[in-house]
Amino acid sequence: MGNQQSKIREINKVTLVGIFVNLFLSGIKISAGLLGNSSALFADGLHSLSDFSTDIAAYLGARFGDKPPDDYHNYGYGKYESLATLIIALFLGFVALQIFIDGFRTILSILRGDILAIPSWWAFFAALASILLNEGLFRYTLAVGKKINSDSILANAWHHRSDGWTSIGALMGVGGAILLGGQWVMLDPVAAIIVSLLVLKVAVHIFIPAIRELMDFTLHNNELEKIYSTIDRYEEILDYHKLRSRKAGGKIVLEFHIVLDGDLSLKKSHDIADALEKELRELLGKSAIITIHIEPPL
Ligand SMILES: [Zn+2]
Ligand SMILES: [Zn+2]
């Protein structure tokens, strides 16, 4: 039986369940936030929407970004995923900032003596539903992750639990505002500000790798060190230069010149470059694009 096949099916299933629960929760919380006068719930709903959109980008990226190269995209489709992720990050960052600023404005107006509408019980129950669903999702995802022994699924499980904690923060804000009333209505925007900071953190976290992939950033130093020491292990390589690296839409692109003894046969020189390329590909991943130029000493 295809063990790998059934593992992939389990991963797809648990990922899709997570995606749908987040879509459902973001719908409930954003509408409860808007209709029930709770900026905390609105911010929490935005958080679920951000989880939903990053999951979708990852899911589509895995399907679409791996599309084989064609006549119009000789280097593949990887940058489409980076671009989609970047747009999501900018959208999230923008809305989170908006909630953050609104939260402070609301608090100031309450301090100035304005009377604000108390959040409705609907917002409270939406937060409660979010806590319970996230906890359920956490336990289900954790069980699947343990069963098929997948680190990314286990990481997803703990993300669901942290989402539950975010909703507990929103619940305390809304609950405190409803039960205590008066100036305590302030608890709701305070919770909204805290949640907006969490969303902002997510936005920065997904923005950085996406921008690195789009703007041809050089590889990290520790990756470069590994490349250098691999090349150094070849005694026949007298020297190397013009080494350039970048990350292009999730793929690693690497090119450099190697100096070989000028009297080596073309076949021998090519064998050396070939062996090195193969070893580097093992290090950098199957999709890496590696170009090695061979030359004699000056
Ligand atoms: Zn989350
Ligand atoms: Zn050269």
Side-chain angles (χ1 to χ4, degrees):
M1 274 284 278
N3 206 5
Q4 194 62 25
Q5 204 82 46
S6 73
K7 186 174 168 173
I8 291 173
R9 223 176 305 126
E10 290 263 25
I11 289 180
N12 277 340
K13 190 175 142 206
V14 73
T15 309
L16 280 176
V17 169
I19 287 176
F20 279 115
V21 170
N22 270 322
L23 180 64
F24 175 71
L25 282 178
S26 48
I28 287 201
K29 289 189 283 191
I30 287 176
S31 35
L34 289 174
L35 301 174
N37 296 316
S38 167
S39 46
L41 248 284
F42 182 76
D44 192 20
L46 176 74
H47 181 123
S48 294
L49 188 65
S50 76
D51 288 340
F52 167 75
S53 43
T54 49
D55 281 353
I56 284 280
Y59 191 77
L60 291 182
R63 309 226 136 178
F64 191 66
D66 287 345
K67 243 170 77 138
D70 57 31
D71 282 351
Y72 299 101
H73 298 79
N74 291 170
Y75 289 88
Y77 286 81
K79 281 195 180 177
Y80 282 77
E81 187 192 353
S82 315
L83 185 64
T85 311
L86 188 80
I87 293 170
I88 291 171
L90 289 174
F91 163 78
L92 280 181
F94 180 75
V95 183
L97 224 51
Q98 198 72 35
I99 292 174
F100 183 82
I101 294 167
D102 278 355
F104 271 106
R105 282 223 185 100
T106 310
I107 291 171
L108 281 179
S109 81
I110 294 170
L111 288 177
R112 260 191 263 111
D114 289 357
I115 307 291
L116 242 79
I118 292 173
S120 78
W121 283 100
W122 284 116
F124 183 85
F125 287 123
L128 198 60
S130 173
I131 294 166
L132 296 176
L133 269 175
N134 270 310
E135 181 63 19
L137 198 56
F138 162 70
R139 292 186 182 198
Y140 163 62
T141 313
L142 191 76
V144 175
K146 279 182 177 161
K147 189 178 136 205
I148 61 172
N149 197 13
S150 159
D151 282 341
S152 68
I153 297 297
L154 286 176
N156 251 344
W158 287 101
H159 183 163
H160 294 319
R161 176 158 264 190
S162 79
D163 289 345
W165 280 103
T166 307
S167 293
I168 288 178
L171 181 91
M172 283 173 18
V174 179
I178 295 175
L179 292 175
L180 302 170
Q183 288 227 326
W184 289 103
V185 170
M186 199 186 289
L187 285 175
D188 185 71
V190 167
I193 287 173
I194 294 169
V195 175
S196 76
L197 287 176
L198 292 175
V199 179
L200 207 57
K201 202 180 123 198
V202 175
V204 172
H205 195 75
I206 62 178
F207 178 82
I208 290 173
I211 200 86
R212 292 184 75 99
E213 288 176 14
L214 283 172
M215 306 310 275
D216 290 344
F217 265 59
T218 306
L219 295 184
H220 284 294
N221 265 335
N222 57 345
E223 278 174 303
L224 286 177
E225 290 299 336
K226 282 185 210 155
I227 292 169
Y228 299 152
S229 66
T230 305
I231 303 174
D232 284 339
R233 254 186 281 122
Y234 285 73
E235 279 166 19
E236 304 94 325
I237 298 176
L238 308 174
D239 196 13
Y240 62 93
H241 52 263
K242 288 200 184 154
L243 189 140
R244 292 188 295 177
S245 70
R246 67 193 164 103
K247 199 110 187 255
K251 273 195 193 76
I252 287 177
V253 182
L254 175 69
E255 52 189 289
F256 56 98
H257 297 186
I258 55 174
V259 180
L260 298 173
D261 180 351
D263 292 330
L264 280 181
S265 72
L266 174 61
K267 171 153 192 339
K268 181 71 187 142
S269 315
H270 178 256
D271 284 348
I272 294 167
D274 237 21
L276 175 58
E277 187 186 321
K278 215 175 142 210
E279 210 179 317
L280 286 172
R281 199 180 301 284
E282 245 151 61
L283 182 73
L284 304 173
K286 243 197 248 154
S287 63
I289 298 167
I290 302 165
T291 312
I292 306 173
H293 170 88
I294 308 170
E295 64 193 42
L298 279 178

